[in-house]
Amino acid sequence: GLGSLRSASMCMPALLLSLPFALVLRLPVRTAPRRGGAWMQYAGGGAAALDADAAALLEEAQGDVEKARTSYVGYTLAYLQDSMPELYEALKTDPSRPDAHAALVEVTWDAIAAFLPVTHEAAPSGEAQRRLGAIARVANDGSGPPPSRFLDVGCGTGLLLPFAVASGVPAAAYRGVDLSSRMVEVARQAHGDGALAAAAFYDRSFADVLAEEVAAGAGAEGGRHDVVLFNGALQFFADPVATLQ
């Protein structure tokens, strides 16, 4: 993946929203749970909890998180223009190309994740918790044995994990994947010990994960899961119908 914003890219001139996908920055933000049923307060830590790059951008933007996110994307694109020029051109000329589309999604959610400590409450609302519990119960309704392979596509910060476990999904059966390495880093920190530590998070695409598992398994069955869940993620795929097929 593109990973987090490199310190070296801070020296490059920002490429601000001159590209056709600027509206991608208007996406909603996400929160993450604490370990073991309480809520992890990675949010609310304030600017002191930001990494050096994000803190510098927020200071430059005089505390305006939207401007800081815009600068983050600009610096990341400047880095991409220098290090991966062919992909950078595809972002402008053919953003629906699979690798270009994946890069757009990754850059967007990395920019959101970078500022979580100053943009998120410590816990989602009661209504959000009820909805997440309902989603988890639909994925595992208890009518049969618990899933042994549960794939959460676009897992973000791992928000669904404790609700899935509460519904009866073994933590070891849970696998979360997301294109944003920063979101995955938050998820790993949030669930790195205690009852949820057996869960796994990867900064990979859905297609890559399935291809890897098919290659590692016995034919097509190697890529099978008992549950594949798209919680607020399917709309970010270039072709949602093809993705489900």
Side-chain angles (χ1 to χ4, degrees):
L2 300 178
S4 61
L5 179 65
R6 273 69 166 186
S7 296
S9 71
M10 299 290 292
C11 300
M12 299 180 182
L15 177 58
L16 300 179
L17 306 175
S18 59
L19 300 183
F21 47 86
L23 288 178
V24 79
L25 290 175
R26 303 301 193 266
L27 296 174
V29 292
R30 298 183 257 187
T31 54
R34 280 184 191 263
R35 308 176 181 95
W39 294 94
M40 179 188 174
Q41 192 173 353
Y42 72 83
L50 297 172
D51 69 19
D53 285 341
L57 290 174
L58 188 61
E59 181 178 2
E60 181 182 273
Q62 299 181 343
D64 187 322
V65 176
E66 187 68 20
K67 288 182 179 179
R69 281 200 196 118
T70 298
S71 293
Y72 182 101
V73 172
Y75 282 118
T76 303
L77 291 174
Y79 172 83
L80 189 62
Q81 182 180 24
D82 182 68
S83 62
M84 305 177 192
E86 194 276 332
L87 178 58
Y88 174 83
E89 287 301 316
L91 297 181
K92 298 188 293 181
T93 61
D94 189 12
S96 64
R97 199 177 83 180
D99 59 341
H101 180 80
L104 293 179
V105 174
E106 181 178 1
V107 169
T108 299
W109 287 106
D110 275 359
I112 292 171
F115 299 96
L116 286 176
V118 295
T119 59
H120 287 59
E121 298 295 332
S125 68
E127 177 61 24
Q129 294 183 45
R130 287 190 289 273
R131 290 181 181 181
L132 288 163
I135 291 169
R137 290 190 295 274
V138 169
N140 181 43
D141 62 8
S143 61
S148 61
R149 302 187 72 201
F150 184 106
L151 185 64
D152 185 3
V153 181
C155 64
T157 59
L159 183 61
L160 188 71
L161 172 58
F163 296 94
V165 171
S167 76
V169 177
Y174 175 96
R175 187 180 194 190
V177 296
D178 201 289
L179 287 171
S180 170
S181 58
R182 277 185 175 266
M183 286 289 183
V184 168
E185 181 181 355
V186 173
R188 288 171 176 165
Q189 291 173 354
H191 311 298
D193 56 28
L196 304 179
F201 296 94
Y202 301 92
D203 56 332
R204 295 176 190 167
S205 73
F206 177 49
D208 286 346
V209 168
L210 294 184
E212 290 166 6
E213 295 197 355
V214 168
E221 293 299 315
R224 286 286 184 90
H225 291 80
D226 301 309
V227 175
V228 178
L229 181 66
F230 297 83
N231 177 30
L234 192 59
Q235 68 268 33
F236 298 112
F237 285 80
D239 189 341
V241 174
T243 299
L244 292 175
Q245 291 173 339

PDB file of all heavy atoms in Angstrom, residues 126-142:
ATOM      1  N   GLY A 126     -25.376   5.580  21.303  1.00  0.00           N
ATOM      2  CA  GLY A 126     -26.140   4.388  21.637  1.00  0.00           C
ATOM      3  C   GLY A 126     -26.847   3.813  20.429  1.00  0.00           C
ATOM      4  O   GLY A 126     -26.925   2.592  20.270  1.00  0.00           O
ATOM      5  N   GLU A 127     -27.364   4.688  19.557  1.00  0.00           N
ATOM      6  CA  GLU A 127     -28.026   4.217  18.345  1.00  0.00           C
ATOM      7  C   GLU A 127     -27.053   3.488  17.435  1.00  0.00           C
ATOM      8  O   GLU A 127     -27.380   2.442  16.846  1.00  0.00           O
ATOM      9  CB  GLU A 127     -28.668   5.389  17.604  1.00  0.00           C
ATOM     10  CG  GLU A 127     -29.331   5.021  16.289  1.00  0.00           C
ATOM     11  CD  GLU A 127     -30.461   4.025  16.440  1.00  0.00           C
ATOM     12  OE1 GLU A 127     -31.054   3.945  17.539  1.00  0.00           O
ATOM     13  OE2 GLU A 127     -30.754   3.322  15.449  1.00  0.00           O
ATOM     14  N   ALA A 128     -25.833   4.023  17.296  1.00  0.00           N
ATOM     15  CA  ALA A 128     -24.824   3.359  16.468  1.00  0.00           C
ATOM     16  C   ALA A 128     -24.470   1.995  17.046  1.00  0.00           C
ATOM     17  O   ALA A 128     -24.301   1.016  16.303  1.00  0.00           O
ATOM     18  CB  ALA A 128     -23.577   4.227  16.361  1.00  0.00           C
ATOM     19  N   GLN A 129     -24.370   1.908  18.360  1.00  0.00           N
ATOM     20  CA  GLN A 129     -24.064   0.626  18.983  1.00  0.00           C
ATOM     21  C   GLN A 129     -25.183  -0.383  18.735  1.00  0.00           C
ATOM     22  O   GLN A 129     -24.920  -1.562  18.476  1.00  0.00           O
ATOM     23  CB  GLN A 129     -23.841   0.815  20.482  1.00  0.00           C
ATOM     24  CG  GLN A 129     -22.601   1.633  20.802  1.00  0.00           C
ATOM     25  CD  GLN A 129     -22.357   1.755  22.296  1.00  0.00           C
ATOM     26  OE1 GLN A 129     -22.456   0.786  23.030  1.00  0.00           O
ATOM     27  NE2 GLN A 129     -22.048   2.958  22.743  1.00  0.00           N
ATOM     28  N   ARG A 130     -26.423   0.073  18.799  1.00  0.00           N
ATOM     29  CA  ARG A 130     -27.551  -0.839  18.529  1.00  0.00           C
ATOM     30  C   ARG A 130     -27.512  -1.345  17.088  1.00  0.00           C
ATOM     31  O   ARG A 130     -27.779  -2.523  16.822  1.00  0.00           O
ATOM     32  CB  ARG A 130     -28.873  -0.135  18.827  1.00  0.00           C
ATOM     33  CG  ARG A 130     -29.157   0.051  20.313  1.00  0.00           C
ATOM     34  CD  ARG A 130     -30.576   0.536  20.555  1.00  0.00           C
ATOM     35  NE  ARG A 130     -30.760   1.911  20.127  1.00  0.00           N
ATOM     36  CZ  ARG A 130     -30.503   2.966  20.890  1.00  0.00           C
ATOM     37  NH1 ARG A 130     -30.025   2.811  22.112  1.00  0.00           N
ATOM     38  NH2 ARG A 130     -30.714   4.193  20.426  1.00  0.00           N
ATOM     39  N   ARG A 131     -27.186  -0.454  16.171  1.00  0.00           N
ATOM     40  CA  ARG A 131     -27.132  -0.861  14.763  1.00  0.00           C
ATOM     41  C   ARG A 131     -25.995  -1.856  14.529  1.00  0.00           C
ATOM     42  O   ARG A 131     -26.166  -2.830  13.792  1.00  0.00           O
ATOM     43  CB  ARG A 131     -26.951   0.369  13.886  1.00  0.00           C
ATOM     44  CG  ARG A 131     -28.178   1.264  13.824  1.00  0.00           C
ATOM     45  CD  ARG A 131     -27.946   2.459  12.917  1.00  0.00           C
ATOM     46  NE  ARG A 131     -29.119   3.320  12.869  1.00  0.00           N
ATOM     47  CZ  ARG A 131     -29.198   4.420  12.137  1.00  0.00           C
ATOM     48  NH1 ARG A 131     -28.174   4.790  11.378  1.00  0.00           N
ATOM     49  NH2 ARG A 131     -30.297   5.148  12.154  1.00  0.00           N
ATOM     50  N   LEU A 132     -24.853  -1.600  15.133  1.00  0.00           N
ATOM     51  CA  LEU A 132     -23.729  -2.520  14.961  1.00  0.00           C
ATOM     52  C   LEU A 132     -24.043  -3.887  15.554  1.00  0.00           C
ATOM     53  O   LEU A 132     -23.680  -4.922  14.985  1.00  0.00           O
ATOM     54  CB  LEU A 132     -22.479  -1.922  15.610  1.00  0.00           C
ATOM     55  CG  LEU A 132     -21.873  -0.739  14.852  1.00  0.00           C
ATOM     56  CD1 LEU A 132     -20.928   0.036  15.741  1.00  0.00           C
ATOM     57  CD2 LEU A 132     -21.170  -1.221  13.595  1.00  0.00           C
ATOM     58  N   GLY A 133     -24.720  -3.886  16.690  1.00  0.00           N
ATOM     59  CA  GLY A 133     -25.130  -5.155  17.272  1.00  0.00           C
ATOM     60  C   GLY A 133     -26.080  -5.909  16.360  1.00  0.00           C
ATOM     61  O   GLY A 133     -25.976  -7.133  16.204  1.00  0.00           O
ATOM     62  N   ALA A 134     -27.005  -5.180  15.725  1.00  0.00           N
ATOM     63  CA  ALA A 134     -27.947  -5.817  14.810  1.00  0.00           C
ATOM     64  C   ALA A 134     -27.238  -6.374  13.584  1.00  0.00           C
ATOM     65  O   ALA A 134     -27.551  -7.477  13.123  1.00  0.00           O
ATOM     66  CB  ALA A 134     -29.016  -4.809  14.389  1.00  0.00           C
ATOM     67  N   ILE A 135     -26.272  -5.630  13.048  1.00  0.00           N
ATOM     68  CA  ILE A 135     -25.501  -6.109  11.900  1.00  0.00           C
ATOM     69  C   ILE A 135     -24.765  -7.385  12.259  1.00  0.00           C
ATOM     70  O   ILE A 135     -24.760  -8.361  11.492  1.00  0.00           O
ATOM     71  CB  ILE A 135     -24.516  -5.025  11.433  1.00  0.00           C
ATOM     72  CG1 ILE A 135     -25.278  -3.848  10.813  1.00  0.00           C
ATOM     73  CG2 ILE A 135     -23.503  -5.599  10.426  1.00  0.00           C
ATOM     74  CD1 ILE A 135     -24.418  -2.631  10.568  1.00  0.00           C
ATOM     75  N   ALA A 136     -24.150  -7.398  13.419  1.00  0.00           N
ATOM     76  CA  ALA A 136     -23.406  -8.589  13.841  1.00  0.00           C
ATOM     77  C   ALA A 136     -24.332  -9.784  14.012  1.00  0.00           C
ATOM     78  O   ALA A 136     -23.981 -10.911  13.638  1.00  0.00           O
ATOM     79  CB  ALA A 136     -22.668  -8.292  15.146  1.00  0.00           C
ATOM     80  N   ARG A 137     -25.524  -9.557  14.538  1.00  0.00           N
ATOM     81  CA  ARG A 137     -26.460 -10.674  14.755  1.00  0.00           C
ATOM     82  C   ARG A 137     -27.011 -11.206  13.434  1.00  0.00           C
ATOM     83  O   ARG A 137     -27.295 -12.401  13.316  1.00  0.00           O
ATOM     84  CB  ARG A 137     -27.600 -10.236  15.679  1.00  0.00           C
ATOM     85  CG  ARG A 137     -27.148 -10.021  17.125  1.00  0.00           C
ATOM     86  CD  ARG A 137     -28.346  -9.830  18.047  1.00  0.00           C
ATOM     87  NE  ARG A 137     -29.094  -8.624  17.754  1.00  0.00           N
ATOM     88  CZ  ARG A 137     -28.803  -7.422  18.239  1.00  0.00           C
ATOM     89  NH1 ARG A 137     -27.753  -7.270  19.047  1.00  0.00           N
ATOM     90  NH2 ARG A 137     -29.537  -6.374  17.926  1.00  0.00           N
ATOM     91  N   VAL A 138     -27.167 -10.336  12.432  1.00  0.00           N
ATOM     92  CA  VAL A 138     -27.579 -10.813  11.112  1.00  0.00           C
ATOM     93  C   VAL A 138     -26.484 -11.686  10.507  1.00  0.00           C
ATOM     94  O   VAL A 138     -26.755 -12.723   9.890  1.00  0.00           O
ATOM     95  CB  VAL A 138     -27.904  -9.626  10.180  1.00  0.00           C
ATOM     96  CG1 VAL A 138     -28.060 -10.088   8.741  1.00  0.00           C
ATOM     97  CG2 VAL A 138     -29.169  -8.924  10.647  1.00  0.00           C
ATOM     98  N   ALA A 139     -25.233 -11.264  10.690  1.00  0.00           N
ATOM     99  CA  ALA A 139     -24.104 -12.037  10.150  1.00  0.00           C
ATOM    100  C   ALA A 139     -23.947 -13.379  10.864  1.00  0.00           C
ATOM    101  O   ALA A 139     -23.480 -14.355  10.274  1.00  0.00           O
ATOM    102  CB  ALA A 139     -22.820 -11.224  10.267  1.00  0.00           C
ATOM    103  N   ASN A 140     -24.341 -13.423  12.142  1.00  0.00           N
ATOM    104  CA  ASN A 140     -24.252 -14.666  12.907  1.00  0.00           C
ATOM    105  C   ASN A 140     -25.484 -14.743  13.796  1.00  0.00           C
ATOM    106  O   ASN A 140     -25.488 -14.255  14.928  1.00  0.00           O
ATOM    107  CB  ASN A 140     -22.976 -14.682  13.748  1.00  0.00           C
ATOM    108  CG  ASN A 140     -22.829 -15.965  14.541  1.00  0.00           C
ATOM    109  OD1 ASN A 140     -23.074 -17.051  14.009  1.00  0.00           O
ATOM    110  ND2 ASN A 140     -22.435 -15.854  15.799  1.00  0.00           N
ATOM    111  N   ASP A 141     -26.549 -15.353  13.263  1.00  0.00           N
ATOM    112  CA  ASP A 141     -27.837 -15.336  13.964  1.00  0.00           C
ATOM    113  C   ASP A 141     -28.000 -16.451  14.978  1.00  0.00           C
ATOM    114  O   ASP A 141     -29.049 -16.571  15.620  1.00  0.00           O
ATOM    115  CB  ASP A 141     -28.991 -15.372  12.966  1.00  0.00           C
ATOM    116  CG  ASP A 141     -29.003 -16.651  12.117  1.00  0.00           C
ATOM    117  OD1 ASP A 141     -28.212 -17.570  12.393  1.00  0.00           O
ATOM    118  OD2 ASP A 141     -29.821 -16.700  11.164  1.00  0.00           O
ATOM    119  N   GLY A 142     -26.984 -17.299  15.136  1.00  0.00           N
ATOM    120  CA  GLY A 142     -27.042 -18.354  16.130  1.00  0.00           C
ATOM    121  C   GLY A 142     -27.831 -19.574  15.705  1.00  0.00           C
ATOM    122  O   GLY A 142     -28.021 -20.504  16.502  1.00  0.00           O
TER     123      GLY A 142
END
